[in-house]
Amino acid sequence: MCEINVMEAVRDIRFLHSEALLAVAQNRWLHIYDNQGIELHCIRRCDRVTRLEFLPFHFLLATSSETGFLTYLDVSVGKIVAALNARAGRLDVMTQNPYNAVIHLGHSNGTVSLWSPAMKEPLAKILCHRGGVRAVAVDSTGTYMATSGLDHQLKIFDLRGTFQPLSARTLPQGAGHLAFSQRGLLAAGMGDVVNIWAGQGKASPPSLEKPYLTHRLAGHVHGLQFCPFEDVLGVGHSVGITSMLVPGAAEPNFDGLESNPYRSRKQRQEWEVKALLEKVPAELICLDPRALAEVDVISLEQAKKERIERLGYDPESKAPFQPKPKLKGRSSTASLVKRKRKVMDEEHRDKVRQSLEQQPQKQEKAAKPTGARPSALDRFVR
């Protein structure tokens, strides 16, 4: 479609929300081009950029720089949302978690830090290797993370709150590039060799015992990327680029309303307008996106308590029973007191009955130790 010479080194490149715009991390500043090669913007606040990542649901372009800053740029309004200092030196390793839009940064001290634009400190830090981290990749479900380091170790971590290594393998050269496919296959570039490991399915981690495929190239690997909805792995190396067939790597069925590879120009325009209207704010990026739909019980109880103190009474409490007046002299004071006491006795009787029903269950739980297996003699225990 176009070919231009930017007259300086290009370190990384990313498409934005559509194929008509792309961001290029050049030697000095960050530049935005269209698909005809016309320069649209030059962002001088993002200088010495080494890696780029685009968050499609938030319209955020994340950049990491030589100076150790992680910068979030909102491409819909052209505003820098956050500039975070990682305090870990030069940032060369970066990837995103497509499940919760958290940025993973690999550092030279062997740790991987997780970042959100809403926090100035990392959400979590994971000690992965005894040497520097060379590559990080996260699968499409956001469950597993693969890392490789200078200690020639390839590890797979569980990101579901535990951050514990599930499996590890020592490689002869060490992997400098990692990539997950849509179906959970893991590709690793080691020198001039590409290894691919497969698991039991999309929801299971890849098994590192035996490679699924192995391919030797004509030069050293410089980059890996799986083609979406195609069983093809693109490998860039020192001699050129190689398209490698990987059966079972891509998702065969796509949602036309979510990502349609065959959409027309009119469909792309309508999708772009809809995506801008449904843009997720950057403040909602967190480790567990399901926590946004939960009820804050502590704040709810505190608000209720403050309301009671302000009004002097509990408006939600049950009103006391007031007997209705009756005719023919049946609404005397003694009759009203008797009816009130009868209702109070019934409520007290219901509370006692509920407590007696719950008492045997509590005794059974206290008698049986947790984790004990049931026995045939339990029927004789009273």
Side-chain angles (χ1 to χ4, degrees):
M1 297 186 71
C2 68
E3 181 179 355
I4 56 174
N5 187 2
V6 298
M7 303 297 292
E8 58 182 349
V10 175
R11 300 182 178 180
D12 201 2
I13 187 169
R14 278 288 183 277
F15 279 104
L16 299 185
H17 56 277
S18 68
E19 63 274 9
L21 296 173
L22 63 150
V24 180
Q26 297 178 200
N27 191 30
R28 293 194 63 185
W29 299 307
L30 177 65
H31 296 259
I32 308 295
Y33 298 90
D34 64 355
N35 56 1
Q36 300 299 321
I38 301 173
E39 181 179 344
L40 302 178
H41 303 284
C42 176
I43 297 110
R44 298 179 182 239
R45 288 191 61 184
C46 301
D47 58 336
R48 303 293 180 182
V49 176
T50 57
R51 294 296 302 272
L52 296 172
E53 285 290 341
F54 184 71
L55 310 179
F57 298 104
H58 305 77
F59 280 77
L60 292 178
L61 180 65
T63 66
S64 63
S65 63
E66 291 181 354
T67 57
F69 275 85
L70 174 63
T71 306
Y72 288 87
L73 173 66
D74 192 340
V75 298
S76 61
V77 295
K79 177 183 176 182
I80 291 182
V81 175
L84 310 174
N85 188 0
R87 299 183 183 90
R90 179 187 174 99
L91 302 177
D92 280 329
V93 180
M94 181 175 68
T95 189
Q96 66 164 311
N97 188 338
Y99 173 65
N100 52 16
V102 172
I103 295 294
H104 294 232
L105 294 178
H107 306 294
S108 58
N109 57 359
T111 62
V112 173
S113 58
L114 281 60
W115 293 85
S116 167
M119 302 288 292
K120 293 185 178 180
E121 297 295 329
L123 302 175
K125 280 188 177 182
I126 311 171
L127 180 59
C128 300
H129 299 278
R130 290 174 293 180
V133 180
R134 297 185 63 189
V136 179
V138 182
D139 71 331
S140 58
T141 61
T143 307
Y144 306 108
M145 176 182 68
T147 63
S148 65
L150 293 176
D151 56 355
H152 293 191
Q153 290 279 328
L154 174 62
K155 295 183 180 181
I156 296 179
F157 289 83
D158 190 353
L159 296 178
R160 292 173 292 187
T162 58
F163 303 115
Q164 295 296 324
L166 298 177
S167 58
R169 181 185 177 91
T170 303
L171 303 176
Q173 295 182 350
H177 303 276
L178 298 173
F180 271 101
S181 73
Q182 290 179 319
R183 300 291 294 177
L185 274 66
L186 175 62
M190 304 167 292
D192 58 347
V193 177
V194 175
N195 280 356
I196 299 174
W197 289 275
Q200 299 297 327
K202 185 177 180 181
S204 61
S207 176
L208 300 181
E209 295 180 1
K210 186 178 180 181
Y212 171 58
L213 289 175
T214 301
H215 183 65
R216 186 174 294 274
L217 304 168
H220 286 271
V221 179
H222 287 176
L224 295 172
Q225 188 64 47
F226 280 96
C227 296
F229 311 111
E230 296 287 344
D231 293 338
V232 177
L233 172 64
V235 184
H237 47 85
S238 57
V239 180
I241 184 170
T242 300
S243 296
M244 181 178 171
L245 294 178
V246 184
E251 181 67 39
N253 305 314
F254 63 88
D255 186 0
L257 299 177
E258 181 65 28
S259 56
N260 186 4
Y262 307 109
R263 62 188 177 194
S264 62
R265 182 179 179 183
K266 183 67 175 178
Q267 289 175 332
R268 181 180 64 83
Q269 292 175 352
E270 294 178 354
W271 171 86
E272 190 171 354
V273 173
K274 182 181 177 182
L276 283 170
L277 293 175
E278 297 178 351
K279 185 181 76 168
V280 182
E283 295 80 12
L284 300 183
I285 298 178
C286 58
L287 279 178
D288 188 8
R290 295 174 298 178
L292 299 174
E294 296 179 356
V295 178
D296 192 353
V297 180
I298 299 176
S299 300
L300 192 64
E301 292 178 352
Q302 183 68 20
K304 183 179 179 180
K305 185 178 179 181
E306 293 177 355
R307 185 183 180 190
I308 293 173
E309 293 177 354
R310 185 173 64 252
L311 297 177
Y313 66 97
D314 188 3
E316 298 179 3
S317 62
K318 187 178 180 181
F321 174 73
Q322 292 293 337
K324 293 182 179 180
K326 293 185 178 181
L327 301 177
K328 296 182 180 181
R330 288 185 292 176
S331 293
S332 61
T333 305
S335 176
L336 294 178
V337 171
K338 185 177 180 180
R339 288 161 60 187
K340 285 183 180 180
R341 184 171 297 174
K342 183 179 179 181
V343 173
M344 290 175 60
D345 292 343
E346 289 180 357
E347 293 178 354
H348 180 67
R349 197 177 296 113
D350 292 338
K351 291 181 181 179
V352 172
R353 188 181 296 111
Q354 291 179 1
S355 63
L356 290 176
E357 291 176 355
Q358 295 176 358
Q359 189 173 1
Q361 299 177 359
K362 294 180 180 179
Q363 291 179 355
E364 290 179 1
K365 291 182 179 179
K368 290 185 178 181
T370 57
R373 299 179 62 182
S375 174
L377 301 178
D378 289 345
R379 70 184 72 178
F380 303 107
V381 178
R382 291 185 178 179

